[in-house]
Amino acid sequence: MGSADSKLNFRKAVIQLTTKTQPVEATDDAFWDQFWADTATSVQDVFALVPAAEIRAVREESPSNLATLCYKAVEKLVQGAESGCHSEKEKQIVLNCSRLLTRVLPYIFEDPDWRGFFWSTVPGAGRGGQGEDDDENARPLAESLLLAIADLLFCPDFTVQSHRRSTVDSAEDVHSLDSCEYIWEAGVGFAHSPQPNYIHDVNRMELLKLLLTCFSEAMYLPPAPDSGSTNPWVQFFCSTENRHALPLFTSLLNTVCAYDPVGYGIPYNHLLFSDYREPLVEEAAQVLIVTLDHDSATSASPTVDGTTTGTAMDDADPPGPENLFVNYLSRIHREEDFQFILKGIARLLSNPLLQTYLPNSTKKIQFHQELLVLFWKLCDFNKKFLFFVLKSSDVLDILVPTLYFLNDARADQSRVGLMHIGVFILLLLSGERNFGVRLNKPYSVRVPMDIPVFTGTHADLLIVVFHKIITSGHQRLQPLFDCLLTIVVNVSPYLKSLSMVAANKLLHLLEAFSTTWFLFSAAQNHHLVFFSWRPSTNIIQYQFDGNSNLVYAIIRKRSVFHQLANLPTDPPAIHKALQRRRRTAEPLSRTGSQEGASMEGSRPAAPAEPGTLKTSLVATPGIDKLTEKSQVSEDGTLRSLEPTSQQSSADGSPTAEEPGQAWREQRRLSSASASGQWSPTSEWVLSWKSKLPLQTIMRLLQVLVPQVEKICIDKGLTDESEILRFLQHGTLVGLLPVPHPILIRKYQANSGTAMWFRTYMWGVIYLRNVDPPVWYDTDVKLFEIQRV
């Protein structure tokens, strides 16, 4: 039958379904077969030929017809899975049913009255008296559908290569087939790489799209951080009921991590051959992150002793989460598996940065947000993976692309979510000492970024990019400032030598945050001073030798420190400072140090194109909820400092930041200031001014400023290099206060971030699935869709 006839018949069937007032009997095969047996429609055709208005009309006016359509389509998929889809016709029926369900499911989910439909059993739906036992017939429709999809994803000659030696062999029996031998790609726990097969990839992709659509019920429920919020579809699919859970988890992970978009490195080859693997990899990444949507704060994380050998996962079953995908992920422990995963994710994240002299010569992937979520999940659920990442400088292969994306997206309000996840990942990494140590590696790869040129280390790169985000990012990034500065504080004790560019940027932030009107204009702004003062203090205390650039910058900017030490606290001065605000520009928009030339090939960060869609996000928890204060002991181990009682500074450290209580108060006050009720008082200024960690830097200035001034007068110097040479050989041993213990704020899992990740992840998936537009124009509740 010609394709045009086929579409016409399919369209006729859809019209009949909406116009028939009488319910169509489930046994009327001649009618139902029109939807899948006689047609050859692509998924795009199905979306065009089944308009949203008609699906809703059937749902409202002929509900039994919609119920029968869904039930019959699932029944066909179950039959296909049981027979093994040997004929072309069977394969066509399975694909058609799969496309039809992908089209219809979102309209079932958007109506609360229909949401339970797939979890009910269909009355009288015995499978044509095939002598099956009744238990099997009593499965809810959702379970039958999910198990059929799982079977179909390991169906020889349909989605996997057949292992038959010859055509004489009987067809592989679907029920006895060991799907672990049919894993889609070599990698974790599987050494054999099957021959690439375009048709299999396309069929897998269609089934994964249907699976993702099943899981998307989550989009139609409003965000509720307190509910257990387990997705019943994901819960069942990732349970022991699914006998393919392990091979499917492995197939998805390996398919993503083994993918190399550049192919054989021939420029422009992506323009000559369409890459059928990329859509599959994208779909695999999306299914993977959704199955791993699990609140680690509320579940005991499995502990792994790593004593077993030979297997990819630990065999000893730790009491882990019920979700097998999370369980398998948390139990990967072999070095070569970690290496494979890390190299794969780093290769894909770095792909958009690959610049060659021929524009557009390498294929650019678009799914870096899904990869960042996947990397986050790996670090969150598998601490051994996190330590592996930090064990070598390979972590910098994640850091550099992450900084690139942050810098690139900073002006675009449709990418605020991307900014958050990038910062969360760096916050998580910065809680580990090794991360700070790795940052000392020289930065020599020149990624084209719109930042000043500098010669230095990865730490310099991090500080320069963070400065750029804070001073020239979108205004909606302000809630991230304390996270960005916390990361710098966490790594600062380990930074051996900052470049002059980075030292100036660090001090420019302190200068901007410590202007009196900024300090007095919101209840929480003084926290940014604490955060931006701490890195300099840490570096002076722990890494004075080697940091002459920073010492010199502090001496040049000494007025900033003196002004803070002498901050006025009387009401008239406070009032005067606030009046000044109306006359001065925002402190962050003027740049305190010369920008200099940007890197070659870089383009400025562009705002979103007008009309760009974005999805809303739930609020992120404050830094006090996101992190736990810890102290680093002599041997490098961490001790939590979270106050158990009112004594918040029980560690006796005079420079410890204000207790968690002040944070909670600050959150309360800042919401008040948003509504214009708050105004600064003398008591308020005094309450935190006394806690400013001034001693170290004031002592440094006291000792060094007279010496530097004397050199300048004696030698008539105006030349920086002489002064720097003097500072390099100087020492403050015995002159500075005793170093306080290293304090860091370590990320801690909590239900607030779990909820944030859920809304962010589904928002990304919603916006990225435009061909076909699976969820477009349906009534989603998890987030709002807004136009920029």
Side-chain angles (χ1 to χ4, degrees):
M1 185 194 300
S3 173
D5 290 345
S6 167
K7 284 182 195 174
L8 197 62
N9 287 355
F10 181 77
R11 181 70 195 123
K12 272 188 198 153
V14 173
I15 293 167
Q16 285 177 315
L17 191 67
T18 51
T19 51
K20 280 187 189 292
T21 44
Q22 292 302 311
V24 184
E25 289 298 323
T27 49
D28 184 353
D29 285 341
F31 175 76
W32 296 112
D33 281 352
Q34 299 176 97
F35 289 98
W36 37 74
D38 319 328
T39 54
T41 46
S42 69
V43 69
Q44 283 77 10
D45 291 338
V46 170
F47 272 68
L49 298 171
V50 188
E54 293 183 19
I55 305 175
R56 290 190 175 115
V58 177
R59 189 181 70 193
E60 306 310 322
E61 288 144 38
S62 326
S64 72
N65 283 350
L66 181 60
T68 308
L69 180 73
C70 292
Y71 155 65
K72 295 290 283 184
V74 172
E75 184 184 52
K76 289 289 170 197
L77 289 178
V78 170
Q79 286 168 4
E82 286 180 347
S83 72
C85 277
H86 294 302
S87 68
E88 285 309 308
K89 181 161 173 108
E90 283 175 291
K91 291 173 186 172
Q92 197 55 60
I93 289 175
V94 162
L95 291 172
N96 284 334
C97 290
S98 183
R99 292 160 188 160
L100 197 57
L101 286 167
T102 301
R103 180 60 173 143
V104 170
L105 274 168
Y107 298 91
I108 301 265
F109 294 151
E110 73 174 5
D111 185 334
D113 295 337
W114 273 86
R115 217 167 280 142
F117 168 70
F118 269 83
W119 293 98
S120 59
T121 48
V122 180
R127 305 242 162 84
Q130 293 158 359
E132 296 172 20
D133 50 285
D134 290 333
D135 291 354
E136 189 50 39
N137 294 338
R139 263 202 191 285
L141 208 50
E143 295 187 2
S144 302
L145 172 56
L146 290 170
L147 293 176
I149 296 172
D151 279 339
L152 288 163
L153 285 167
F154 291 100
C155 188
D157 284 333
F158 180 51
T159 48
V160 291
Q161 213 71 44
S162 169
H163 288 187
R164 277 180 297 174
R165 294 290 165 268
S166 70
T167 46
V168 184
D169 289 358
S170 63
E172 283 140 302
D173 178 20
V174 189
H175 297 287
S176 61
L177 169 142
D178 177 7
S179 45
C180 284
E181 293 173 12
Y182 290 85
I183 288 170
W184 301 351
E185 189 60 66
V188 176
F190 193 68
H192 165 68
S193 203
Q195 274 296 307
N197 182 313
Y198 168 69
I199 304 291
H200 294 174
D201 275 5
V202 172
N203 294 344
R204 290 165 179 174
M205 200 191 80
E206 299 233 29
L207 289 164
L208 289 179
K209 200 170 279 302
L210 172 57
L211 189 57
L212 196 59
T213 310
C214 292
F215 295 159
S216 72
E217 185 180 77
M219 282 195 208
Y220 298 90
L221 304 169
D226 304 326
S227 68
S229 59
T230 41
N231 180 328
W233 294 83
V234 172
Q235 197 177 6
F236 178 80
F237 191 76
C238 299
S239 73
T240 47
E241 295 267 355
N242 178 358
R243 70 189 183 98
H244 303 293
L246 177 60
L248 190 61
F249 167 77
T250 312
S251 292
L252 295 171
L253 183 64
N254 292 354
T255 298
V256 173
C257 294
Y259 176 57
D260 183 0
V262 179
Y264 299 106
I266 309 158
Y268 297 104
N269 67 348
H270 67 290
L271 302 179
L272 306 177
F273 317 104
S274 76
D275 178 354
Y276 56 85
R277 197 101 248 231
E278 186 184 8
L280 173 67
V281 174
E282 242 176 60
E283 208 71 52
Q286 291 176 1
V287 169
L288 201 48
I289 60 178
V290 170
T291 53
L292 296 171
D293 176 23
H294 183 81
D295 187 348
S296 63
T298 56
S299 70
S301 200
T303 50
V304 182
D305 61 355
T307 47
T308 53
T309 51
T311 53
M313 318 288 168
D314 255 324
D315 285 334
D317 262 328
E322 302 282 289
N323 177 324
L324 289 180
F325 279 42
V326 174
N327 208 330
Y328 296 144
L329 184 81
S330 66
R331 285 162 43 190
I332 298 171
H333 64 280
R334 292 196 306 193
E335 295 260 318
E336 59 267 41
D337 290 338
F338 286 156
Q339 190 63 36
F340 165 75
I341 294 170
L342 180 58
K343 277 273 181 281
I345 292 178
R347 179 196 316 118
L348 292 171
L349 284 178
S350 306
N351 161 270
L353 288 56
L354 291 175
Q355 295 284 335
T356 62
Y357 291 106
L358 312 167
N360 302 322
S361 65
T362 54
K363 180 180 174 61
K364 274 197 179 179
I365 60 154
Q366 300 297 326
F367 55 99
H368 45 271
Q369 299 195 83
E370 293 93 318
L371 289 165
L372 289 169
V373 175
L374 178 59
F375 180 76
W376 171 269
K377 297 280 178 201
L378 280 154
C379 293
D380 196 21
F381 294 140
N382 191 322
K383 288 296 169 261
K384 285 199 159 152
F385 177 74
L386 176 61
F387 298 138
F388 176 84
V389 169
L390 292 164
K391 201 170 71 171
S392 73
S393 52
D394 287 352
V395 66
L396 303 175
D397 297 337
I398 299 288
L399 171 75
V400 172
T402 304
L403 291 174
Y404 171 85
F405 292 126
L406 289 176
N407 186 57
D408 188 54
R410 68 178 194 272
D412 179 349
Q413 60 161 318
S414 71
R415 292 195 279 169
V416 171
L418 168 64
M419 298 295 295
H420 277 76
I421 184 165
V423 172
F424 286 161
I425 283 173
L426 299 181
L427 179 66
L428 179 72
L429 295 173
S430 76
E432 307 297 334
R433 173 183 176 274
N434 265 357
F435 182 62
V437 174
R438 300 286 160 237
L439 291 178
N440 290 308
K441 187 176 178 182
Y443 174 68
S444 50
V445 287
R446 285 279 171 251
V447 172
M449 285 164 87
D450 174 29
I451 53 171
V453 175
F454 66 89
T455 303
T457 65
H458 284 76
D460 295 308
L461 177 69
L462 178 113
I463 289 168
V464 169
V465 170
F466 281 11
H467 175 270
K468 193 90 179 183
I469 293 168
I470 291 171
T471 56
S472 66
H474 188 265
Q475 70 213 28
R476 289 187 54 212
L477 300 179
Q478 283 206 353
L480 280 177
F481 287 4
D482 35 13
C483 261
L484 289 163
L485 293 168
T486 298
I487 294 164
V488 180
V489 174
N490 282 349
V491 301
S492 58
Y494 310 107
L495 305 183
K496 292 191 176 354
S497 86
L498 285 194
S499 69
M500 190 60 90
V501 173
N504 284 333
K505 298 295 182 203
L506 204 51
L507 290 181
H508 174 238
L509 290 177
L510 177 63
E511 182 180 21
F513 291 137
S514 62
T515 56
T516 44
W517 77 255
F518 180 76
L519 276 174
F520 297 159
S521 60
Q524 73 280 27
N525 283 358
H526 65 284
H527 290 284
L528 295 171
V529 170
F530 281 80
F531 279 131
S532 49
W533 183 301
R534 173 82 61 208
S536 303
T537 305
N538 279 344
I539 291 172
I540 298 304
Q541 286 199 321
Y542 296 104
Q543 304 286 351
F544 179 80
D545 300 338
N547 268 301
S548 51
N549 287 330
L550 179 66
V551 174
Y552 179 64
I554 289 172
I555 290 172
R556 278 186 52 218
K557 288 277 184 191
R558 56 190 179 276
S559 60
V560 175
F561 297 95
H562 289 304
Q563 275 164 9
L564 264 175
N566 301 311
L567 191 72
T569 56
D570 54 302
I574 293 174
H575 180 71
K576 195 171 153 192
L578 288 170
Q579 290 303 309
R580 201 174 308 139
R581 173 185 197 172
R582 300 192 172 84
R583 294 195 295 276
T584 50
E586 289 239 345
L588 292 178
S589 54
R590 62 159 209 268
T591 319
S593 47
Q594 299 73 35
E595 274 299 292
S598 272
M599 296 196 172
E600 192 183 344
S602 67
R603 292 183 314 281
E609 294 283 316
T612 305
L613 290 182
K614 63 171 184 172
T615 51
S616 63
L617 291 160
V618 293
T620 44
I623 195 81
D624 58 321
K625 297 271 192 304
L626 261 179
T627 56
E628 172 181 75
K629 201 185 292 176
S630 305
Q631 183 176 314
V632 182
S633 322
E634 294 294 314
D635 59 358
T637 54
L638 287 178
R639 180 165 73 79
S640 168
L641 284 184
E642 285 305 316
T644 44
S645 65
Q646 295 302 308
Q647 303 162 293
S648 44
S649 285
D651 60 328
S653 150
T655 55
E657 276 155 31
E658 313 87 314
Q661 227 174 345
W663 280 101
R664 282 183 281 286
E665 177 69 358
Q666 161 231 324
R667 295 278 157 200
R668 194 178 64 71
L669 289 171
S670 63
S671 55
S673 71
S675 54
Q677 300 161 353
W678 183 83
S679 60
T681 62
S682 298
E683 296 74 34
W684 172 79
V685 180
L686 285 165
S687 73
W688 55 261
K689 184 188 167 182
S690 60
K691 299 194 181 84
L692 274 172
L694 301 169
Q695 301 92 316
T696 302
I697 288 183
M698 297 315 261
R699 183 80 183 117
L700 172 133
L701 291 171
Q702 199 185 348
V703 174
L704 291 179
V705 170
Q707 296 181 2
V708 170
E709 283 174 343
K710 184 174 185 317
I711 294 175
C712 292
I713 294 164
D714 290 355
K715 301 195 174 174
L717 275 187
T718 47
D719 180 23
E720 290 193 352
S721 55
E722 279 288 326
I723 301 168
L724 282 167
R725 202 165 305 131
F726 162 72
L727 291 173
Q728 264 163 7
H729 299 300
T731 174
L732 291 176
V733 172
L735 296 171
L736 291 181
V738 176
H740 57 78
I742 296 178
L743 295 178
I744 61 162
R745 284 190 164 273
K746 204 174 159 69
Y747 169 81
Q748 56 173 0
N750 61 78
S751 49
T753 39
M755 192 66 237
W756 184 90
F757 271 97
R758 184 168 305 131
T759 57
Y760 170 61
M761 169 184 79
W762 279 114
V764 168
I765 291 171
Y766 176 96
L767 293 174
R768 298 259 298 108
N769 283 273
V770 289
D771 182 26
V774 182
W775 299 281
Y776 190 69
D777 271 350
T778 60
D779 188 16
V780 296
K781 293 277 194 293
L782 185 63
F783 43 78
E784 289 166 31
I785 294 100
Q786 303 149 342
R787 275 187 194 281
V788 174

